[in-house]
Amino acid sequence: MPTFGLTQFIFLLDAAVWTLALSALGFIGGGLVGFVVALARISPSRTIRWTAMIYVQLIQGTPLLVLLFIVYFGLSIAGFNNLPALLAAGVAITLYTSAFLAEIWRGSIRSIAKTQWEAAECLGLSRWQRMTRVILPQSLRIATPPTVGFLVQVIKNTSLASAIGFVELAQAGKLINNSTFQPFSIFMVVAAIYFAICFPLTLASRKLERKLNVSNR
């Protein structure tokens, strides 16, 4: 029976790279969609606001694991039979991430003092100019720490992608355990790798919060 050694450790590190790739795919995609949804949530149009709110509530109310199954099996039913698990997981995590980032960013935009909106309006700026030149630069300062903090949650949630066959870090640990039967040692290493990835981001989030002085703005 094989034992946990250097070969298995390298296999875990390779899987950790796929964890990072899936996290990046979901975070970037979710950030782009989330930005559009955040703007839609503060749109003057009631229809657009309600549509965005329903999207956010629907996604936030659905567990990520269920989203993964819906995307993976739903696209298979739609004719995409050979859909790579990475792509399906990326789409599901993009949807999941977009809903939460949209609310983080909407809250940041809404937290800008009303006088700032009024001052920008008095300068004769269009709505887009008010957003890009006055509101968004200020809200970016508020949104950065929670956004970085949420990225940690995205990285950890990628472990659910194993449910549709994607071999990321947690799934790699499970595969090694099936051949070595050393669950404690293996998953301690898996946990250590997750910690090595997430802890610097947690520190960065706290450092950004202190640097941007968000609590005393």
Side-chain angles (χ1 to χ4, degrees), residues 157-214:
N157 283 336
T158 57
S159 62
L160 295 174
S162 62
I164 58 172
F166 182 70
V167 182
E168 40 67 57
L169 182 54
Q171 178 69 356
K174 183 179 177 183
L175 293 175
I176 294 173
N177 179 56
N178 289 342
S179 61
T180 62
F181 297 102
Q182 295 177 292
F184 183 77
S185 301
I186 294 166
F187 287 107
M188 281 295 290
V189 173
V190 169
I193 295 174
Y194 272 117
F195 179 79
I197 295 172
C198 295
F199 187 61
L201 291 172
T202 303
L203 290 180
S205 176
R206 292 175 182 171
K207 186 176 180 181
L208 281 171
E209 190 170 355
R210 286 195 299 271
K211 184 176 181 180
L212 297 174
N213 198 20
V214 173

Side-chain angles (χ1 to χ4, degrees), residues 86-121:
L86 172 62
L87 183 57
V91 172
I93 294 177
T94 291
L95 293 173
Y96 172 82
T97 304
S98 68
F100 284 92
L101 287 182
E103 285 303 272
I104 291 172
W105 294 344
R106 182 189 67 85
S108 301
I109 293 171
R110 284 296 189 198
S111 67
I112 302 301
K114 189 178 179 181
T115 52
Q116 295 290 312
W117 294 80
E118 292 172 345
E121 192 172 354

Side-chain angles (χ1 to χ4, degrees), residues 46-83:
R46 177 178 293 183
T47 303
I48 294 175
R49 284 202 312 272
W50 273 89
T51 302
M53 186 190 72
I54 291 171
Y55 171 82
V56 169
Q57 295 300 321
L58 189 64
I59 297 297
Q60 287 192 347
T62 306
L64 177 57
L65 184 61
V66 177
L67 278 177
L68 285 163
F69 287 141
I70 290 174
V71 172
Y72 185 69
F73 295 111
L75 290 177
S76 296
I77 293 172
F80 298 95
N81 296 319
N82 297 318
L83 187 70

Side-chain angles (χ1 to χ4, degrees), residues 116-136:
Q116 295 290 312
W117 294 80
E118 292 172 345
E121 192 172 354
C122 289
L123 292 173
L125 300 177
S126 66
R127 180 174 176 81
W128 177 251
Q129 289 173 325
R130 291 199 298 271
M131 288 297 299
T132 56
R133 297 182 183 181
V134 180
I135 304 303
L136 289 181

